[in-house]
Amino acid sequence: MYIYIDGKKISAKDGESILEVANRNEIYIPTLCHHEALDDVGACRVCMVEITHKDWGGWRNLVTACLYPVEEGLVISTSSEAVRRSRGTTLDLLMARCPTSDVIRWMAEENGEISVRYEQIDDGSKCIMCSLCVRACERMGCNAIGTVGRGHDKKIAPPFFENPENCIGCGACAAICPTGHIEVNDTRTTREIWDKKFNFVACEGCGEPVLTEEYRDYAIANRDLPADYYTTCSACKKKKLASHFDKVGS
Amino acid sequence: MGIANRKELEARRKALHKANENVKTHVRVCSGTGCAALGAFEVYDALVKESKKAGLPVQVELEPCGKEKDPLFVSLTGCQGFCQIGPLVHILPDDILYTGVKVSAVKDIVEKTLAGGQVVEKLLYKNPEDKKRLKGRADIPFYKGQELVALEGCGSVAADSLDSYVASGGFSSLAKALKMDPDQVISEVEKSGLRGRGGGGFPTGRKWRSCVSAEGDERFVICNGDEGDPGAFMDCCIMEGDPYRVIEGMIICAHAVGSSTGFIYVRHEYPRAVERLSLAVKTCEENGLLGKKILGSDLDFDISVARGGGAFVCGESTALMRSIEGSVGEPRAKYVRSVQRGFRDKPTVLNNVETFACVPSIINEGSDWFTSRGTEKSPGTKAFCLVGKVVNTGLIEVPMGTSLRDVVFGMGGGIIDGRPFKAVQTGGPSGGCLGEDHLDLPVDFDALAKAGSMMGSGGMIVMDDRTCMVDVAKYFLKFLMEESCGKCVPCREGVYQLHAMLDKLSRGEGEPQDLEKIQRLGKEIQVSSLCGLGKSAPNPVLSTLKNFREEYEAHVNDKRCPAGVCRDITTFTIDPDKCTGCLVCKKACPPDAISGEKKQVHIIDQDKCTQCGACRLVCKFDAVVTN
Ligand SMILES: Cc1cc2nc3c(=O)[nH]c(=O)nc-3n(C[C@H](O)[C@H](O)[C@H](O)COP(=O)(O)O)c2cc1C
Ligand code: FES
Ligand code: FES
């Protein structure tokens, strides 16, 4: 099928989202709660685009690109006046909520409108409740963190706000967080995240930290890979593999 | 004894009908939530006991074989509507409505009325206008102009009795529908023009048809009894008072769309509704009205009663389905409709309690009968909860298109204490407020939407001149801010900011550009939010801003609350020309800020005054004034 993004005719497949097609064609649509590996939830609303169709009698609508499935002949605008207004308002609201976040400010600047117009809540938090961390943790199979409560006070936290029993210190949540809100403190031998302390497993080859002990145990129990797979860092693994081939070659 | 097929149903109905015909006097004790809280069950027990003691041929269940001759039938019904003056006891066929009945009055009722055939004057409704006692529902303004369709059995059938429902014609509509082709049933509902009573007003027939045409090996029918609107209780009354009607509507829908599994999702806080519905479901199962081969047809259908997740947003369709699936009741953002992929990703029909309750009558009486009431685009009737500053409050059902004036000043009896009418809020928390100039508006889905409000599920809050519209908007926004699921940014952060701006206004700190800002943000929230909650959350502020702009301007420009509600910008003083020195306000003032002797003008000490408004409320002479 063909769709039109910002006037360009582009081929698309049934079942794809507008965002997928745009990404594949290097058309930029900002996102804050989307990740290729995770299911979309439509939370941040910055990926808003305007759609219409020649058969819709002029009717237009704002939809989230990450969730809206393409259909033949769909006409999409990624930066119409309505899109910029909606996105601008969303980003303004996020700037008020997380005034210290550079990512949000940059995104707002890029959208063309920087005006902090709303009451700022400066509690130092950069959490925009995109829930990427929760979904990543869920995907890891740990479910160590979740959302608590509803409304404006909704928070992301471990159960009962205590250090999470299920957390294996993999750090996926911190890595995926778009604003850098989740704190992770690593030393050569330890990691601290969600107020929980972990010891790193040192690489058998070079002694560099590889992963936390809890992560190693969890991986050994849940994945089908040899136990020593988790005790060597990737650099040493490569070296080992190379020397293996060397031996095979000689 | 089960009801295996249509013939048996008809036989049962005839037998019960006959039993009903023999009933000489029928005493209906309202056991709706309001009356129950005021002691209706005790009144019922006392009525049965006293009548027996007096040797009357009491019967508490309809018995086809009829042991008693000319029995006196005493039953507990669902809400009879006029909760304000409950407990209600309605006596037929003479149409005598006793109000505020206490156990101590039962003896009188039994002796004078049930045995003696006389009316007990002092238990009759007193018309506040001329203080005259009015005998029955036919005379009382609150009931005049009402037309009961969804509430037909609520207040007349015995709420927990299948027999009572069957005697009143119950399940004959199902029998008729089962004789019809599913497609014919849908056509009839389509022709009736029935629109969803849960808020959106989506055409029910069209919803059913799209469900049928959606692909899927399994279909679901769900009844939305979440009723999260604070102050609304129509659905509660129907579920408690006439549970079989809702079930019948659902079975008809199951037949129409080809479903074998249904759910009734009942609000967390409605234990009696859960109890009555569960009992009704069980009774239907035992009688062959649910389960396999219903009434001898090919239809298999089961219903489970599910308890709500306890949040307002759980009433939203996708959140509700997730909640029944066992997940957190949060709306799901998606661009597929639930008729295509709803519960467990299968085609699902979700309708409101009142919507299902309209279905049996539509099938029985035909779509023409339904469309003969109401307006062209909104046929039929609608139940409303009339509350607020009106003289008569309670549950009513009127034809669509009835004017707000008829509701507020007819059934509602006007404003309490004869104060000026200011506005009526419709549509629940995310509805809007309409003022004086909208009083002649015919109430239907489109007229309300056009005027900047909405039908919602049917809450109607009447407000007098002492209600501040900024304060009202702030109140609803606070509710919505707290009830937002918190997932999407425009709703979570935007409604918070709207509320913050209104709060600023009410403190007298508003700036001229604030009104523009509120309006802009409100519009963006409407188009950018994920679910219906966010999309409609700005309504309270946008509608009041549209219809009561001067009041907002007074808050911003003059730092003044014309209604005298916003404490930070209100000062209370006593008008010396009006004050009679009656001491009433002085006694009512919590911080003792009022001084003055009897028959002398009273004075409010501004340093002590906390602007609570208690003095103004009690003053009979309107002597307490605000800036
Ligand atoms: C926040 C929110 C709350 C809702 N609450 C209810 C409710 O309590 N009861 C209800 O019937 N519909 C409620 N709805 C509407 C439902 O999503 C749905 O449209 C309705 O149940 C469909 O039934 P109907 O077509 O018969 O009205 C709510 C919608 C939203 C957005
Ligand atoms: S990326 Fe689409 S809503 Fe966040
Ligand atoms: S509860 Fe009795 S009239 Fe409503």
Side-chain angles (χ1 to χ4, degrees), chain A residues 45 86 97 117 151 154, chain B residues 330 335 484 493 497 517 528:
Chain A
R45 319 303 284 175
S86 162
R97 180 66 189 256
R117 287 175 298 170
K154 190 172 187 169
Chain B
E330 269 183 17
Y335 294 100
S484 151
E493 305 298 335
Q497 293 291 352
K517 249 167 84 174
S528 308

Side-chain angles (χ1 to χ4, degrees), chain B residues 44-226:
Chain B
Y44 171 81
D45 289 342
L47 261 169
V48 174
K49 205 170 120 203
E50 284 295 325
S51 307
K52 278 188 183 154
K53 226 161 83 187
L56 298 170
V58 182
Q59 202 174 294
V60 291
E61 249 162 74
L62 272 186
E63 288 170 63
C65 45
K67 281 194 294 280
E68 305 284 357
K69 195 172 171 304
D70 296 344
L72 165 74
F73 184 43
V74 188
S75 68
L76 279 168
T77 73
C79 177
Q80 300 182 6
F82 213 167
C83 315
Q84 190 186 15
I85 49 164
L88 302 175
V89 174
H90 192 206
I91 300 171
L92 295 163
D94 293 342
D95 184 22
I96 304 170
L97 184 69
Y98 288 144
T99 64
V101 178
K102 302 226 165 55
V103 172
S104 57
V106 166
K107 212 160 174 248
D108 250 9
I109 298 179
V110 173
E111 280 171 9
K112 299 219 173 93
T113 310
L114 302 181
Q118 294 160 0
V119 173
V120 184
E121 279 290 320
K122 66 171 195 271
L123 290 177
L124 293 178
Y125 171 72
K126 188 153 88 181
N127 192 5
E129 237 165 68
D130 52 12
K131 313 276 177 240
K132 277 211 184 95
R133 299 279 178 180
L134 302 175
K135 185 175 130 234
R137 282 169 65 145
D139 315 306
I140 299 174
F142 178 76
Y143 288 103
K144 277 190 195 163
Q146 287 202 46
E147 200 169 335
L148 309 184
V149 175
L151 299 178
E152 190 194 336
C154 194
S156 61
V157 301
D160 49 9
S161 155
L162 173 64
D163 277 347
S164 175
Y165 184 62
V166 170
S168 74
F171 289 107
S172 57
S173 172
L174 172 64
K176 185 174 171 188
L178 289 174
K179 266 198 294 187
M180 295 157 70
D181 208 41
D183 190 68
Q184 263 181 306
V185 175
I186 297 181
S187 296
E188 202 59 34
V189 177
E190 275 174 337
K191 273 191 279 175
S192 77
L194 174 65
R195 294 171 69 172
R197 298 324 197 210
F202 190 84
T204 306
R206 202 195 298 167
K207 188 183 274 184
W208 293 11
R209 191 171 295 287
S210 5
C211 179
V212 172
S213 50
E215 262 174 59
D217 49 0
E218 207 181 353
R219 276 158 232 280
F220 294 100
V221 172
I222 304 181
C223 173
N224 190 344
D226 196 50

Side-chain angles (χ1 to χ4, degrees), chain A residues 181-193:
Chain A
H181 171 71
I182 299 175
E183 269 179 48
V184 42
N185 287 318
D186 286 356
T187 67
R188 220 180 128 77
T189 53
T190 62
R191 160 169 289 177
E192 208 181 324
I193 188 167

Side-chain angles (χ1 to χ4, degrees), chain B residues 196-198 207 224 227-228 312 315-317 350-352 355 532-533:
Chain B
R197 298 324 197 210
K207 188 183 274 184
N224 190 344
E227 195 159 55
F312 173 67
E316 193 273 343
S317 52
L350 173 73
N351 275 129
N352 167 258
T355 314
L533 193 151

